Amino acid sequence: MPSPIDQDPFKAWKFLVLPTLKVSDVFSLFLKATIAICTVVSISLVFYSFLNPSQRLPCPECNKILISDHRKIINGEVSGYSYEKTNISHILFGIGGSAKTWNKRRHYTEVWWMPNITRGYVWLDQNPPGNDTWPLTSPPYKVSADTSRFKYTCSYGSRSALRIARIVKESFELGLENVRWLVMGDDDTVFFIENLVTVLAKYDHNQMYYIGGNSESVEQDAIHSYTMAYGGGGFAISYPLAKELVRVLDGCLDRYASFYGSDQKVQGCISEIGVPLTKELGFHQVDIRGDPYGLLAAHPLAPLVSLHHLDYVQSIFPGLSRFDSVNKLITAYKTDPGRTLQYSFCYDLTRNWSVSASWGYTIQLYPALLTAMQLQTVFRTFRTWRRWSEGPFTFNTRPMNVDPCLRPVVYFLDRVERFGDGTLTTYKRSEDELDKVCDRPDYAPVYAVQLVNVITSTSLKPDIWNMAPRRQCCEVINGENRMSSMVQVNIRGCNEMESVTPP
Ligand SMILES: *[C@@H]1O[C@H](CO)[C@@H](O)[C@H](O)[C@H]1NC(C)=O
Ligand SMILES: *[C@@H]1O[C@H](CO)[C@@H](O)[C@H](O)[C@H]1NC(C)=O
Ligand SMILES: *[C@@H]1O[C@H](CO)[C@@H](O)[C@H](O)[C@H]1NC(C)=O
Ligand SMILES: *[C@@H]1O[C@H](CO)[C@@H](O)[C@H](O)[C@H]1NC(C)=O
């Protein structure tokens, strides 16, 4: 039986009007034409400016087009240039570690570190005990230079912040070739490398960029700063910015002696250069306590770049250790990096259900039609970092009720299979939840569902992040059997005029 969305009257209408061309074809033709026109216009603009040296940049609008077209403006002159796409080899990592804790925490680096592919070092406070047995699966280490000459006056912090703030300088001064970005992280930061590359590749590394994310916790942002990238979530500094930062850093550290963390000290110094933070929503400091479920189940529309503080929150998968949980998420990530934690929701109108899918992690089934606004709001399964209070956070939350009649039925990732360029991911109810049952009759057919299968026919390509963001759509397929033990959900790009709107 066709899904309710297939019965959309607009689809039939489209078919009548355009018997041979699909709407997507028309759109792609239109896109191609637009690109062609833009290319001709920009090429002729460049020609024009070469032919008439006195009349470069005849109007402010042209200036804007050229800048957005990745052409550099030096002293008002346009010089066209191009470069190869940024890849993993262009990134130099600087991980802030310590000799004593490395062995305890190294698995959070080793899950993403690719020996001989990823470049960089973990910076230690001293030589590790027995340094000839340094694990090959870890990044090579270096011992940071002495920082005793710098001031540190924050009463509740640690002087190691100074050492870690200088990693960017010590990394830069190694003089390694072909480095476009210096990426800083903690020894418990898990990076999702492919997505990090996707995000950095959006920016011109020949310009000065400082990229990262804030803390989720308003109290943290208020105490420290809203203008800084939180170091545990990781942050990226482009080479030209690093070059200027290295010049001012040592002189600047004493001015910010009262700042608690290395990340805030670095931001203080960058503010002297005048470069603001470019926020990317995929960097996660994870300044929360308790269960991170809600946060991960409603990830913003941006590639997942990092997770942090995983030893301070509950396991992201129930019944698995913290470390096994990360590995499980990574199995999904490896099959479709860009789609990891991307969510979509849809209705099953044959049963009046809402389905919310956070790809590679969790499915929520509700025996009711919730609004898109409700479904996209983060479940508050966690508390704030410092006070363990209910908020506030830098995003809106809704309570996760203890009453099983007021919460969705939740499924967690079980299996991942590649399926051509697409994937089949399977989700199961967690054992912990099996006893939490709502007696209302509308919940019975939901509990009958043992498995949710999610199908995608293509991977989410990095180019999608260069376009205007839009959540993907989904549809529930075999929705006709009232007591079916399996639900199938297809996730795909949205059609024109498609929305999550109840009838
Ligand atoms: C990254 O790009 C450079 C060119 O700038 C190339 O030499 C290098 O092989 C590439 N590395 C990978 C891993 O693709
Ligand atoms: C990395 O490269 C070095 C030399 O190029 C080699 O000896 C080493 O085995 C490689 N390590 C891994 C994990 O591939
Ligand atoms: C560790 O390496 C350093 C040089 O990097 C060396 O001076 C020191 O003796 C080594 N320590 C041990 C225990 O091997
Ligand atoms: C779904 O909800 C609508 C509106 O509340 C109602 O008219 C319809 O009968 C319901 N359908 C099912 C299958 O429960």
Side-chain angles (χ1 to χ4, degrees):
M1 179 176 151
S3 72
I5 290 158
D6 279 339
Q7 295 164 341
D8 182 343
F10 281 100
K11 268 206 166 162
W13 173 82
K14 272 184 294 197
F15 188 71
L16 287 178
V17 177
L18 303 161
T20 55
L21 278 179
K22 279 192 297 205
V23 169
S24 62
D25 290 340
V26 173
F27 179 68
S28 107
L29 262 180
F30 174 74
L31 205 68
K32 280 177 190 154
T34 313
I35 290 168
I37 291 167
C38 289
T39 311
V40 169
V41 168
S42 55
I43 289 173
S44 22
L45 265 176
V46 171
F47 257 91
Y48 175 77
S49 62
F50 279 123
L51 293 175
N52 303 279
S54 60
Q55 288 186 12
R56 279 174 198 165
L57 302 178
C59 60
E61 270 66 34
C62 307
N63 191 349
K64 276 183 201 145
I65 292 165
L66 290 167
I67 289 170
S68 71
D69 207 3
H70 279 297
R71 284 193 189 84
K72 207 179 191 174
I73 312 274
I74 303 163
N75 300 329
E77 293 189 6
V78 181
S79 70
Y81 69 95
S82 64
Y83 49 80
E84 284 178 63
K85 226 174 156 173
T86 292
N87 64 42
I88 186 65
S89 316
H90 297 121
I91 297 175
L92 180 63
F93 289 94
I95 311 297
S98 84
K100 280 213 182 73
T101 58
W102 182 252
N103 250 325
K104 222 172 64 197
R105 290 189 155 185
R106 66 185 168 104
H107 53 264
Y108 284 128
T109 302
E110 291 175 348
V111 289
W112 60 267
W113 185 260
M114 294 180 284
N116 290 352
I117 297 176
T118 37
R119 302 167 71 192
Y121 299 91
V122 46
W123 294 81
L124 303 177
D125 47 346
Q126 57 187 58
N127 273 307
N131 51 4
D132 46 353
T133 60
W134 188 253
L136 285 171
T137 42
S138 283
Y141 74 89
K142 290 205 176 277
V143 177
S144 303
D146 177 51
T147 54
S148 53
R149 66 185 186 282
F150 298 103
K151 279 197 289 185
Y152 187 83
T153 61
C154 178
S155 60
Y156 55 93
S158 151
R159 284 193 62 87
S160 63
L162 289 165
R163 182 176 75 76
I164 292 169
R166 293 185 77 258
I167 290 177
V168 60
K169 181 173 158 80
E170 293 192 77
S171 299
F172 183 90
E173 288 174 346
L174 296 173
L176 299 179
E177 293 205 338
N178 215 0
V179 173
R180 295 182 178 183
W181 296 93
L182 286 86
V183 171
M184 304 295 123
D186 281 0
D187 54 2
D188 60 343
T189 307
V190 174
F191 282 110
F192 294 82
I193 294 294
E194 293 224 24
N195 294 341
L196 174 67
V197 171
T198 297
V199 165
L200 296 182
K202 293 198 300 184
Y203 298 93
D204 179 355
H205 61 278
N206 293 303
Q207 301 185 35
M208 293 200 282
Y209 279 110
Y210 167 49
I211 300 175
N214 275 166
S215 171
E216 295 81 0
S217 217
V218 166
E219 65 191 4
Q220 288 286 87
D221 290 324
I223 291 170
H224 302 293
S225 171
Y226 279 99
T227 57
M228 70 192 252
Y230 280 68
F235 59 89
I237 291 180
S238 64
Y239 188 87
L241 176 58
K243 195 169 163 185
E244 299 224 6
L245 179 61
V246 160
R247 190 179 63 85
V248 299
L249 189 76
D250 280 351
C252 144
L253 285 176
D254 281 352
R255 271 192 288 288
Y256 301 110
S258 67
F259 286 176
Y260 167 82
S262 57
D263 44 6
Q264 195 179 4
K265 291 176 192 288
V266 167
Q267 192 274 323
C269 301
I270 292 178
S271 74
E272 297 189 357
I273 301 165
V275 173
L277 174 63
T278 297
K279 287 182 192 164
E280 273 286 344
L281 297 173
F283 289 86
H284 298 288
Q285 167 78 3
V286 193
D287 272 346
I288 56 172
R289 307 281 185 168
D291 188 350
Y293 176 82
L295 189 69
L296 304 181
H299 190 270
L301 210 48
L304 170 67
V305 172
S306 68
L307 291 175
H308 176 234
H309 274 163
L310 293 174
D311 276 343
Y312 297 86
V313 290
Q314 287 172 24
S315 289
I316 60 182
F317 286 99
L320 288 185
S321 72
R322 293 180 164 108
F323 184 54
D324 290 344
S325 292
V326 174
N327 277 333
K328 180 146 212 173
L329 186 63
I330 287 175
T331 58
Y333 157 78
K334 282 187 173 156
T335 63
D336 195 350
R339 198 182 289 282
T340 313
L341 299 187
Q342 293 304 304
Y343 68 159
S344 24
F345 19 87
C346 41
Y347 297 136
D348 177 349
L349 292 178
T350 63
R351 298 182 280 196
N352 283 350
W353 286 6
S354 306
V355 179
S356 169
S358 169
W359 189 87
Y361 182 48
T362 186
I363 307 288
Q364 297 160 6
L365 297 184
Y366 302 77
L369 300 182
L370 275 70
T371 62
M373 193 60 198
Q374 288 171 307
L375 291 168
Q376 75 173 20
T377 304
V378 172
F379 268 126
R380 198 170 55 247
T381 55
F382 46 81
R383 296 182 158 249
T384 65
W385 178 252
R386 279 170 70 89
R387 291 170 202 264
W388 295 69
S389 55
E390 300 244 296
F393 298 98
T394 52
F395 42 80
N396 299 105
T397 58
R398 57 180 162 146
M400 182 62 138
N401 212 298
V402 287
D403 178 353
C405 296
L406 293 172
R407 57 196 281 163
V409 181
V410 172
Y411 299 76
F412 285 94
L413 180 71
D414 183 46
R415 285 186 318 129
V416 184
E417 274 173 62
R418 227 182 271 269
F419 205 55
D421 181 36
T423 53
L424 164 62
T425 44
T426 304
Y427 304 78
K428 274 189 173 162
R429 280 190 76 195
S430 113
E431 305 277 328
D432 302 1
E433 289 226 358
L434 293 178
D435 52 343
K436 289 182 204 148
V437 170
C438 170
D439 293 334
R440 258 180 18 223
D442 55 339
Y443 268 86
V446 187
Y447 293 132
V449 175
Q450 310 281 331
L451 270 189
V452 181
N453 283 337
V454 172
I455 291 183
T456 63
S457 60
T458 61
S459 58
L460 213 57
K461 306 288 183 300
D463 288 346
I464 205 164
W465 305 110
N466 292 322
M467 314 208 325
R470 184 179 183 186
R471 193 181 59 229
Q472 289 224 313
C473 285
C474 59
E475 55 194 294
V476 180
I477 303 304
N478 49 350
E480 74 281 6
N481 182 356
R482 237 189 87 77
M483 293 300 273
S484 165
S485 66
M486 198 267 283
V487 162
Q488 184 184 321
V489 177
N490 289 5
I491 298 182
R492 50 164 176 74
C494 299
N495 295 320
E496 265 182 90
M497 298 295 171
E498 182 172 4
S499 58
V500 181
T501 303

